[in-house]
């Protein structure tokens, strides 16, 4: 049970930290080889590009998990205070549907890449692995959005915290 709780809380974060660390090391080696040794590596830029793609899609899931995905808070102020929490839930539902649409279409893309058996130019890794990033990332995002929606519905009667005020509290360090 503790393992599931730990995975729920830290899974995307661990992957993002690992990818960013590896990305930094690979690019550092490439810079060293190019400017110090005067010899460029053929695989490093390709690997860095693919790790960055995976980092972005897993990062979308992490942003969704911490309820910080892209949204326009200013639009929220157009609604009366009493229904803002409902508007936020509707926005989460829309993002959930969007994530499911991306999962659906990206799965088709992964299957086609798998059937074509295309390999990357420098590293010769199957391209379906690269094309699986949106599928995996948005599958996790859909799961996280579902968790967010359930959380918001459970706390619908709690006092609504204005996103701008909440951000201001976080910047000041007032975590009550």
């Amino acid at each position: 049970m503790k393992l599931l709780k730990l995975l729920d809380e830290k899974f995307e974060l661990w992957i993002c930290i690992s990818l960013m660390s590896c990305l930094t090391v690979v690019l550092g080696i490439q810079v060293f080889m190019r400017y110090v040794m005067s010899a460029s590596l053929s695989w490093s830029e390709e690997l860095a590009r693919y790790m960055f793609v995976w980092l972005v899609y897993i990062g979308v899931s992490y942003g969704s998990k911490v309820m910080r995905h892209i949204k326009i808070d200013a639009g929220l102020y157009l609604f009366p205070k009493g229904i803002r929490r409902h508007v936020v839930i509707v926005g989460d539902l829309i993002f959930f549907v969007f994530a499911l649409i991306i999962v659906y279409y990206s799965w088709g893309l992964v299957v086609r890449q798998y059937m074509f058996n295309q390999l990357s130019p420098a590293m010769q890794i199957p391209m379906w692995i690269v094309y699986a990033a949106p599928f995996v990332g948005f599958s996790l995002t859909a799961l996280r959005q579902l968790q967010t929606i359930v959380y918001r519905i459970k706390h619908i009667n709690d006092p609504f915290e204005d996103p701008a005020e909440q951000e201001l509290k976080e910047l000041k360090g007032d975590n009550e």
Side-chain angles (χ1 to χ4, degrees):
M1 206 56 151
K2 285 185 180 183
L3 178 65
L4 285 177
K5 184 174 175 12
L6 193 61
L7 282 174
D8 181 48
E9 291 175 0
K10 304 289 185 190
F11 182 69
E12 291 97 335
L13 186 61
W14 286 341
I15 293 174
C16 287
I17 289 171
S18 300
L19 285 170
M20 184 61 86
S21 300
C22 290
L23 183 68
T24 303
V25 169
V26 167
L27 288 177
I29 291 170
Q30 171 65 1
V31 168
F32 175 78
M33 292 299 291
R34 182 177 292 166
Y35 293 108
V36 176
M37 304 299 285
S38 297
S40 185
L41 301 173
S42 62
W43 55 269
S44 62
E45 290 179 34
E46 185 175 284
L47 179 60
R49 183 179 313 120
Y50 297 154
M51 284 193 295
F52 184 72
V53 167
W54 273 88
L55 176 66
V56 167
Y57 285 107
I58 300 299
V60 169
S61 175
Y62 180 70
S64 190
K65 185 223 178 298
V66 295
M67 299 180 202
R68 293 287 194 175
H69 58 82
I70 295 173
K71 58 185 181 269
I72 302 170
D73 287 337
L76 193 58
Y77 300 120
L78 297 174
F79 297 95
K81 259 188 172 177
I83 65 166
R84 288 183 187 166
R85 68 175 57 95
H86 302 287
V87 172
V88 170
I89 293 171
V90 169
D92 287 335
L93 283 168
I94 291 169
F95 191 56
F96 174 69
V97 170
F98 173 75
L100 290 178
I101 291 168
I102 298 296
V103 167
Y104 175 79
Y105 284 107
S106 63
W107 176 249
L109 190 61
V110 170
V111 169
R112 279 194 299 277
Q113 285 299 320
Y114 185 79
M115 289 185 340
F116 292 151
N117 201 25
Q118 181 183 1
L119 301 175
S120 67
M123 296 179 55
Q124 298 296 301
I125 61 171
M127 287 303 291
W128 69 265
I129 294 172
V130 178
Y131 282 89
F135 174 76
V136 173
F138 275 94
S139 294
L140 287 170
T141 300
L143 174 68
R144 296 305 188 175
Q145 276 304 111
L146 197 56
Q147 289 175 328
T148 297
I149 292 164
V150 168
Y151 173 83
R152 290 192 198 275
I153 290 172
K154 280 183 179 178
H155 293 90
I156 197 137
N157 292 326
D158 293 355
F160 183 74
E161 180 98 22
D162 189 4
E165 290 175 18
Q166 185 177 5
E167 187 128 354
L168 198 59
K169 281 183 182 178
E170 288 174 9
L171 288 174
K172 287 181 180 178
D174 297 341
N175 294 331
E176 298 170 10

